[in-house]
Structures are given as structure tokens and as C-alpha cells.
Amino acid sequence: MNKLYYINTYGCQMNVHESEKIAGILRECGYSEAATEEEADLIVFNTCCIRDTAEKKIFGNIGDVKKYKKNNPSLIVAVVGCMSQQSGYSEKIKKSYPFVNIVLGTSNLPELAEAVKNVESKLNKSFISVPCNERPQIKEDIPVYRTSGTNAWVNIMYGCDNFCSYCIVPYVRGRERSRDIENITDEIKSLLDEGYKEITLLGQNVDSYRFENFRFVDILERIARIEGKFRVRFMSSHPKDFNSEVIDVIRSCPNICNNIHLPVQSGSDRILSLMNRRYTRAQYLDIISEIREKIPDCGITTDIMTGFPTETEEDFADTLDLVKKVGFSNAFTFVYSPRKGTVAAEMEQLPSEVKKRRITELVNLQNEITKRLSLDYIGKTEEVLVEDRHPKLKNHYCGRTDSGRLVNFSGECAIGEFVKVKVTSSKSASLWGEYDG
Ligand code: SAH
Ligand code: SF4
Ligand code: F3S
């Protein structure tokens, strides 16, 4: 009988793509995808530990699968990814949930095949391997089973050396490693041959890509020059490394989307310094002015945190003010969450009511801005990559503008096509329109 896998993915795009690698490995082990967790013979938790809320939710969800073991005693449960990589966590996971069979760290995912075979043959009922190699070799030959529609994720680098004082990522993902530019280019060429229409380059800080003498601008330019009709996106950028050259390449290459994700985190210089972000509010605003001047229709998105230790009302007012000044098309907003082992976790923490009040105020402000900016699209005709059929409406499709806005529209077209859409109305963040050729 066919063996079935089910993958629960948490966290960022890096993890979403890693789950495609997990699926690739499991398919090579003879598994195929289960429609539900309940019918699976192997359940994988690809975990995140960026905030406490993420971790608590995952712990709860792992506990929930114990019930399936009763009906299916040979069910294999695997926990991989950032949460397992934290110091002491493999023991913590095994202690809380003895039924977990496999625990792997972030750098040794390719061992999943061996782990599964081991557990299946009952050689070892559990397989725990979380090495602390800070600079593991990049493994190029992992099979990938893509599930991202018209878009394909492509790693250009791994790890992070920035050590922002609140962030766990450098501890669980190790030091920065960049992929060979030839391997990246070859992968992208074959993805385009397979029919993918959008390539999203992934890295914790894509601007610090470095392979031999090649920098991020070089790779961007090289990819943009590959023949064919397709789009290039990338994430995330770091304001301390983002530069004029990148802006110029985006402007001069029509297939690099006018869409930049530039996490600001705070609008207060005092907080930015405590966060170890290594740029000032003025420097950030200068980058925004340069983007606006050179690429007027660029969609700029960001990440912002409220409630970092010692954040005063004045610091928070600076954040609100920056948000108003920039006019982000969208912002991912988070309540600061202390992460064990990071510098900020040792500082005096703010009461949770303060953090919550501030996040609500920030979210309300950003929603208003997003809604207002949506109105600017009405009456315009935008090029949209058709990503999918609308989940509910007949003869409706959805896709994204070059600037990254979601558009729902009526008309007849095919998924993967680039079409013109006339925007007729908007609902806060999403746009609505009609096929226009
Ligand atoms: N490498 C990317 C993203 C890292 S994680 C970057 O530097 O932009 C994504 C976002 O999670 C961060 O931008 C930050 O806003 C948020 N984040 C990270 N650590 C956090 C913490 N301890 N509490 C709350 N939010 C956090
Ligand atoms: Fe975390 Fe900062 Fe690295 Fe982003 S740049 S992953 S926020 S340490
Ligand atoms: Fe989470 Fe790891 Fe991404 S901690 S945000 S899954 S790099």
C-alpha cells in the first residue's frame, strides 16, 4: 500500500520552501501526499521559533497528533526546523512527547531519508540528530517537490550574521552562506523551462549575498537578463545593506518587480540602536526617498515590532510617524517576544498591556494607509500574473500586480498568463477589476 506523508509548515518563506524539499525527500522514500493529517503514515512538523506564540502553537499541535498513534501505531512523527535547532529543544521535545520518532536540526535535513528508513525498519525507534555546526556546507542536490503554483522559491543564501538583539534566527540558522551563482542560475533556467513565471529569491538578508566577487546586484542583473517572460522578486532586504545600485538595477530591468520588502522594525533611533539594526531613521527615510524618486510606483512593504524593551510612548510615536511618512503598501506587525539566548531577552520587559495597546494602534494606522493607497489603483490598468482561480467566484481569477498587490478580477484567462487588468474597486488591501486584454 502507498505510504502517505503530511507536512505542517510554520514560519517564513524559507520554511515554506524547505517543506518543498522535505516533500521531495519523502517522495524519493516512496511516500505520496496525504489529503489529511489523519490518514498520514508520516507527519512532519517543520517548525519556527521566531516568537513565543509560534512555539506554543506548534507544541500544542504536536501533542494533538498523539491520538492518531492509537489507530496507527506505526505512524512516524518528525519534528524538524528552527524550533528543534534551539539549544536543549530536542530533549525538551522528546520529554514532552515521547511518541515523536525523528528530530532533526536546520542543517541536516537531508538526513531525513536515512532517519525515516531507520525508524521504519525499527532499527532505532527514534532518530535524533541536531548538530551545532555553525557553518554547514550547502547541499545542492536535495530533491524539491514544488507546490507554489506559478511562483518558484529559490534560495540564494542561508543563515544570518546580523544578530539583531531580539532575533533567534542567527542562533538556529547559523552563519551566512551564499550559493554558487552558477548553481542558482542553472536552477532558475530549468524552472523557467518547466514553465514557472515568477522566481522569488530567498535569503534572511539577500543584500549580503557574496559568492567570489559576485554581490546581490550582480545576481539580480544576471537573472533578469535570462530570456523569456517572467518576474523576479526577492526577500528580505536589510536597510543597512540595501543600496542605490540595487534600486538602479530594479529600475533598469523591467522583469524585476517594483516591490521591495524593507523591514524597518522601529521608527526610533534609540530603539534601532538597542536592536543593533545599524541604520538610523534618517538613513531609512533617505532610502525610501531614493526609491520613490527612481521607481515612483514601487510597492514598499515592511516588518515592524512594538513593545521592544524600554520602548517609550515617544519611541512608539516615532514609529507611527515613520509609518505615516513612508506610506507602506503593507506592513507585517509583531508584538516583541523575548527569545531565550538573545541580548534583548535579558533587558527589562514592558507589560503586555502596553505592547498590545501599541500593536492595535499601529495595525489600525497601517490598515487606513493600505486602504487609502488601494484607491490610487482604481481606474488604472495593471499587468497581472494570473495565479489561480478565485476560490469562490465563477469566472474570476486572482493574481498580483508588479508592485505585489493582490487583484481579483473577472474574465477568461489561463493560470500562468500575464494579462492586463483594469482595476475598478478596492476592499482595504485587495483590488478588484476586469480582464482588459
Ligand atoms: N531576515 C528577515 C526576517 C526575519 S524574521 C529580516 O531581517 O527582515 C521576520 C520578522 O519577525 C522580523 O523582521 C521581525 O519584525 C520579526 N521578529 C523577529 N524576532 C522577533 C521577536 N523576538 N519578537 C517579535 N517579532 C520578531
Ligand atoms: Fe533576524 Fe536581524 Fe538576521 Fe533578520 S537580519 S534574520 S531580524 S538577526
Ligand atoms: Fe521562523 Fe526559522 Fe523562519 S525561526 S521565521 S522559520 S528562519
Side-chain angles (χ1 to χ4, degrees):
M1 214 180 69
N2 212 351
K3 300 177 289 183
L4 301 174
Y5 68 83
Y6 190 92
I7 306 172
N8 293 293
T9 307
Y10 306 87
C12 61
Q13 269 75 15
M14 199 74 76
N15 258 18
V16 171
H17 182 38
E18 243 143 48
S19 285
E20 296 180 328
K21 297 182 183 173
I22 294 171
I25 295 171
L26 295 178
R27 295 175 92 85
E28 287 205 340
C29 296
Y31 285 76
S32 42
E33 196 174 358
T36 63
E37 201 175 48
E38 197 169 356
E39 68 183 35
D41 302 288
L42 167 55
I43 300 176
V44 181
F45 290 88
N46 187 15
T47 62
C48 170
C49 54
I50 198 85
R51 285 168 286 274
D52 190 48
T53 41
E55 221 176 272
K56 285 220 171 75
K57 182 168 148 200
I58 298 167
F59 256 96
N61 293 354
I62 300 174
D64 286 346
V65 301
K66 189 179 176 194
K67 57 180 185 273
Y68 302 136
K69 279 254 178 181
K70 284 201 191 99
N71 294 338
N72 182 5
S74 59
L75 170 69
I76 300 174
V77 180
V79 182
V80 304
C82 293
M83 194 175 96
S84 352
Q85 186 67 48
Q86 284 181 100
S87 148
Y89 267 63
S90 53
E91 294 85 357
K92 189 172 164 180
I93 294 164
K94 268 311 275 182
K95 199 166 163 232
S96 313
Y97 302 119
F99 61 86
V100 169
N101 306 87
I102 297 169
V103 183
L104 293 179
T106 51
S107 64
N108 59 334
L109 195 60
E111 283 178 40
L112 183 62
E114 186 194 340
V116 169
K117 281 175 196 146
N118 248 314
V119 175
E120 277 177 340
S121 67
K122 304 269 190 289
L123 279 179
N124 282 329
K125 275 194 89 143
S126 53
F127 187 106
I128 314 247
S129 172
V130 184
C132 314
N133 180 359
E134 284 218 321
R135 201 179 285 281
Q137 277 243 304
I138 294 177
K139 297 198 178 64
E140 283 292 346
D141 47 1
I142 306 178
V144 184
Y145 177 69
R146 295 183 184 269
T147 48
S148 52
T150 51
N151 170 68
W153 309 107
V154 175
N155 287 111
I156 62 166
M157 58 168 316
Y158 299 90
C160 181
D161 287 354
N162 288 322
F163 289 94
C164 301
S165 65
Y166 50 80
C167 186
I168 194 79
V169 172
Y171 302 90
V172 292
R173 290 275 176 176
R175 300 290 59 76
E176 273 177 18
R177 287 97 65 205
S178 293
R179 274 181 82 192
D180 184 328
I181 192 164
E182 299 303 335
N183 293 337
I184 300 172
T185 319
D186 289 349
E187 182 178 359
I188 293 174
K189 282 186 182 155
S190 57
L191 289 167
L192 297 174
D193 287 344
E194 284 172 44
Y196 287 96
K197 299 292 180 199
E198 188 176 84
I199 301 294
T200 305
L201 308 176
L202 290 178
Q204 291 301 345
N205 176 8
V206 288
D207 306 280
S208 54
Y209 175 86
R210 188 93 194 171
F211 181 79
E212 293 170 348
N213 286 327
F214 297 107
R215 297 152 312 147
F216 180 53
V217 277
D218 304 315
I219 194 155
L220 256 187
E221 203 163 10
R222 188 197 271 216
I223 293 163
R225 296 206 189 291
I226 299 175
E227 259 180 54
K229 171 81 179 154
F230 66 99
R231 285 175 168 178
V232 184
R233 297 186 191 276
F234 56 89
M235 66 191 308
S236 289
S237 285
H238 195 304
K240 82 174 163 59
D241 301 313
F242 192 79
N243 57 41
S244 304
E245 277 180 288
V246 177
I247 301 175
D248 293 339
V249 169
I250 299 173
R251 178 171 60 170
S252 65
C253 301
N255 56 355
I256 304 177
C257 289
N258 292 345
N259 184 193
I260 300 168
H261 183 64
L262 198 61
V264 67
Q265 314 299 357
S266 168
S268 149
D269 278 337
R270 198 182 67 82
I271 296 295
L272 286 172
S273 162
L274 286 173
M275 285 177 165
N276 192 29
R277 290 290 288 178
R278 287 172 280 169
Y279 54 85
T280 62
R281 169 193 173 89
Q283 284 166 334
Y284 187 89
L285 289 171
D286 281 349
I287 301 174
I288 300 294
S289 307
E290 189 179 344
I291 298 172
R292 295 271 186 243
E293 189 190 308
K294 292 180 173 168
I295 317 170
D297 59 350
C298 192
I300 305 175
T301 56
T302 198
D303 294 347
I304 312 174
M305 230 181 279
T306 64
F308 184 84
T310 78
E311 183 188 65
T312 61
E313 291 302 329
E314 207 183 343
D315 294 319
F316 178 59
D318 283 344
T319 296
L320 295 177
D321 181 68
L322 180 134
V323 167
K324 282 184 204 147
K325 283 205 165 77
V326 175
F328 294 109
S329 41
N330 204 354
F332 300 91
T333 50
F334 309 104
V335 171
Y336 165 74
S337 165
R339 304 282 68 208
K340 201 160 169 253
T342 62
V343 171
E346 302 303 317
M347 299 171 68
E348 199 179 319
Q349 305 295 318
L350 293 186
S352 67
E353 317 82 76
V354 174
K355 294 189 197 179
K356 281 191 193 138
R357 174 172 48 75
R358 288 181 188 166
I359 191 95
T360 310
E361 202 174 328
L362 177 63
V363 168
N364 290 342
L365 172 65
Q366 182 55 47
N367 285 347
E368 251 175 61
I369 294 172
T370 303
K371 203 166 159 184
R372 179 165 49 74
L373 292 177
S374 296
L375 297 175
D376 293 346
Y377 283 88
I378 298 177
K380 286 191 182 155
T381 297
E382 293 279 325
E383 186 181 65
V384 170
L385 168 60
V386 187
E387 288 176 13
D388 212 343
R389 290 185 169 277
H390 191 279
K392 290 190 188 124
L393 299 174
K394 228 181 143 202
N395 296 331
H396 274 70
Y397 291 84
C398 30
R400 257 162 229 284
T401 63
D402 188 277
S403 62
R405 282 302 198 102
L406 186 70
V407 194
N408 302 292
F409 60 98
S410 58
E412 268 313 311
C413 52
I415 293 169
E417 227 186 317
F418 286 94
V419 297
K420 296 270 183 285
V421 173
K422 183 163 188 192
V423 180
T424 50
S425 64
S426 67
K427 264 186 210 155
S428 56
S430 64
L431 307 175
W432 290 78
E434 293 157 4
Y435 174 83
D436 195 22

